[in-house]
Amino acid sequence: MLLIKSKVFRYGFIVSLVGFLFGFDTVVISGVNLPVKSLWQTSDWFHGAFIISMSLWGTVIGALLGGYPTEKFGRKVTLIWVGIMFTLSALGASLAHDACFFSFFRFLGGLSAGVASIAAPTYISEISNPKNRGRLGMLFQFNIVFGILVAYLSNYLLASVSGWNDWRLMLGIEVVPAILFSCLVLNIPQSPRWLIVSKHDLKEASKILKSISSESEADYITETARKEPDRKPDKIALFSGKYNKVLKLSFLIAFFNQFSGISFVLFYAPEILEKGGFGTSDSLFSSILIGLVNLVFTLVGIYFIDKVGRKQLMYIGSIGYVISLSMIAYGFYVSSPAIFKLIFLLLFIASHAVGQGAVVWVFMAEIFPTKIRSFGQAWGSSILNVCAALIALFGSVLINSISPWKVFTFFALLMVLQLLFTHFMMPETKGVSLEELESKLIKP
């Protein structure tokens, strides 16, 4: 049994490392932001639309299209190509000689992240059992957060390097973990549930299942597959009406995830902190505190997600959101000291890490049936990333033309709606097998 647990953890951890690349690649732009804007003299609109948000539009396209390679070639092969694409993106962006080339390679990195957001949570959910699915699923989120922290730390340390363009080092260093991930993912097996549903290879799937789960659980999954031999992945069926409930749930949790303001804070942290009263170097260092708090409270979420459940964490996070965002808005409104705003900004990050950050990827990977899981994951992930891209697109303009207190008040009001969503609509998925969830959430 210990050997089984170690194998599941090892495979899940290797796959979750793509989250590190996702987080690092997404947030490294916060340190590159101002130097690149100064170098190429871009306008606020161009800067927001291309330099900042191009990566996120790539993530949107990757999320929309990621279901196809994930189903056709399998989760493993797709993740190998994701690692290669991240490597090319980091190299290209760090060597770019103008804004257009820079934006293209940032788009490629975003495309990689979008596909990763489909393939990785899908794979992890399919090799897990009901007791550990939450914790294993959160490894992806943990690595996103860890990547964010390392990006902030790397930007801060490399900002003092002389003799070459600092921002090129900030981007280029991502090549190292990207190559490492590409090599490690070669050693994981295919998803057994994908082998059953897409390849009808019960023999190989059963062999893998018995190596990573109990014999009774393996037999239950393969027997369920035998009873439904004609189950084929079908993206069109996703919108047939049968899956309206899970489509609505994934849409709302993804929408609220981004309209909490999390991407606005992560992408524009140094500028927000400068407007809050910190100097430039202090704002970069405070960004590291944001990343550190994010990491610590993500670990708290990992510990509790399979103990108290997804819904309870969303309650805690939603209440924390409303309090922290309201106080940040108040702090900007009355021009309170910088430390006051930083304290509640850190509370906001902690609330996100324990609530939405802990739950969103796990929940979206759980609620869709196996035969359309990658397409359902693509739906939820694309909604999340469209919202993130819109916030990044308009963030540069918002931060320079609208009073910060109005922006944070808007986010606080939306989080009241998230609290209502959690109470009235969100089901608890803790401790329930994927097959049981399908029977509860999907119309016959």
Side-chain angles (χ1 to χ4, degrees):
M1 186 59 69
L2 288 175
L3 180 61
I4 286 172
K5 288 182 178 179
S6 67
K7 280 187 176 180
V8 173
F9 178 80
R10 183 167 74 250
Y11 298 150
F13 181 75
I14 288 172
V15 168
S16 74
L17 289 174
V18 77
F20 176 90
L21 299 174
F22 188 153
F24 187 98
D25 190 80
T26 302
V27 175
V28 71
I29 194 68
S30 66
V32 176
N33 178 9
L34 295 179
V36 166
K37 186 175 184 179
S38 175
L39 175 66
W40 289 318
Q41 296 294 302
T42 55
S43 67
D44 283 344
W45 276 106
F46 184 93
H47 194 69
F50 290 90
I51 302 300
I52 299 294
S53 69
M54 187 55 72
S55 171
L56 286 170
W57 288 116
T59 306
V60 169
I61 301 301
L64 284 170
L65 300 179
Y68 290 102
T70 302
E71 284 299 340
K72 184 173 179 59
F73 305 112
R75 290 63 162 137
K76 176 180 176 177
V77 173
T78 301
L79 286 166
I80 292 170
W81 278 103
V82 163
I84 293 169
M85 289 165 63
F86 266 124
T87 304
L88 295 175
S89 168
L91 274 174
S94 66
L95 299 174
H97 61 275
D98 63 30
C100 291
F101 272 93
F102 179 88
S103 298
F104 169 78
F105 283 107
R106 289 292 296 158
F107 178 85
L108 182 62
L111 197 68
S112 310
V115 177
S117 72
I118 309 304
T122 298
Y123 181 92
I124 293 170
S125 72
E126 290 177 352
I127 66 165
S128 308
N129 64 54
K131 292 183 179 179
N132 65 19
R133 194 173 59 237
R135 287 192 293 273
L136 283 176
M138 271 204 68
L139 287 175
F140 179 67
Q141 175 65 14
F142 169 80
N143 274 293
I144 290 177
V145 169
F146 186 51
I148 289 170
L149 173 61
V150 172
Y152 281 141
L153 183 61
S154 173
N155 287 348
Y156 178 74
L157 294 175
L158 291 175
S160 62
V161 173
S162 60
W164 202 45
N165 288 316
D166 301 335
W167 66 267
R168 295 187 186 277
L169 285 174
M170 291 176 184
L171 293 167
I173 201 168
E174 187 185 350
V175 169
V176 176
I179 291 174
L180 178 62
F181 170 76
S182 301
C183 294
L184 287 174
V185 82
L186 291 169
N187 298 308
I188 66 170
Q190 289 283 11
S191 160
R193 284 182 166 97
W194 175 77
L195 287 172
I196 292 170
V197 173
S198 295
K199 295 298 178 182
H200 305 293
D201 190 347
L202 295 179
K203 183 178 178 181
E204 181 63 20
S206 179
K207 179 181 175 183
I208 295 170
L209 280 167
K210 287 177 180 177
S211 73
I212 62 173
S213 59
S214 67
E215 188 167 347
S216 60
E217 185 181 4
D219 290 341
Y220 169 72
I221 294 169
T222 51
E223 184 60 29
T224 301
R226 282 195 183 96
K227 291 177 181 177
E228 301 181 74
D230 60 338
R231 301 197 321 176
K232 292 184 69 177
D234 184 358
K235 186 178 182 180
I236 296 175
L238 183 65
F239 301 102
S240 65
K242 183 178 180 180
Y243 305 107
N244 281 352
K245 182 174 183 178
V246 288
L247 286 171
K248 188 187 299 182
L249 288 170
S250 60
F251 174 90
L252 287 171
I253 197 168
F255 173 85
F256 286 129
N257 179 279
Q258 285 303 302
F259 278 91
S260 65
I262 186 63
S263 287
F264 180 73
V265 170
L266 293 178
F267 295 155
Y268 295 98
E271 290 180 71
I272 292 170
L273 290 166
E274 281 188 40
K275 286 185 177 293
F278 285 94
T280 302
S281 61
D282 289 336
S283 68
L284 283 172
F285 182 74
S286 296
S287 296
I288 297 174
L289 287 180
I290 288 174
L292 186 60
V293 168
N294 203 0
L295 182 69
V296 169
F297 281 89
T298 295
L299 289 171
V300 174
I302 289 175
Y303 180 78
F304 282 110
I305 193 166
D306 283 323
K307 293 181 180 294
V308 304
R310 291 60 159 147
K311 193 163 182 171
Q312 293 303 315
L313 291 184
M314 285 288 286
Y315 274 128
I316 294 167
S318 298
I319 293 168
Y321 272 151
V322 174
I323 294 170
S324 58
L325 288 166
S326 298
M327 295 309 293
I328 294 168
Y330 173 77
F332 275 106
Y333 183 73
V334 301
S335 300
S336 63
I339 191 64
F340 177 90
K341 302 184 191 78
L342 178 61
I343 288 170
F344 285 103
L345 204 59
L346 294 177
L347 176 60
F348 166 76
I349 294 296
S351 302
H352 175 81
V354 167
Q356 270 276 7
V359 172
V360 64
W361 297 112
V362 173
F363 184 76
M364 289 196 299
E366 289 176 323
I367 60 176
F368 289 97
T370 298
K371 63 181 177 181
I372 59 158
R373 180 165 295 114
S374 61
F375 293 127
Q377 186 77 5
W379 160 259
S381 182
S382 62
I383 296 300
L384 187 152
N385 287 301
V386 164
C387 295
L390 287 173
I391 288 171
L393 173 63
F394 293 107
S396 185
V397 176
L398 283 175
I399 203 169
N400 291 308
S401 60
I402 299 177
S403 299
W405 75 266
K406 294 180 180 178
V407 177
F408 284 103
T409 299
F410 172 71
F411 290 140
L413 291 173
L414 283 175
M415 291 304 95
V416 174
L417 295 181
Q418 177 180 272
L419 184 58
L420 296 175
F421 157 75
T422 302
H423 183 72
F424 290 108
M425 295 181 66
M426 183 179 175
E428 180 57 76
T429 58
K430 175 179 78 79
V432 186
S433 75
L434 297 178
E435 288 72 25
E436 288 178 89
L437 281 172
E438 179 175 349
S439 67
K440 288 181 178 181
L441 297 175
I442 309 301
K443 293 179 182 179

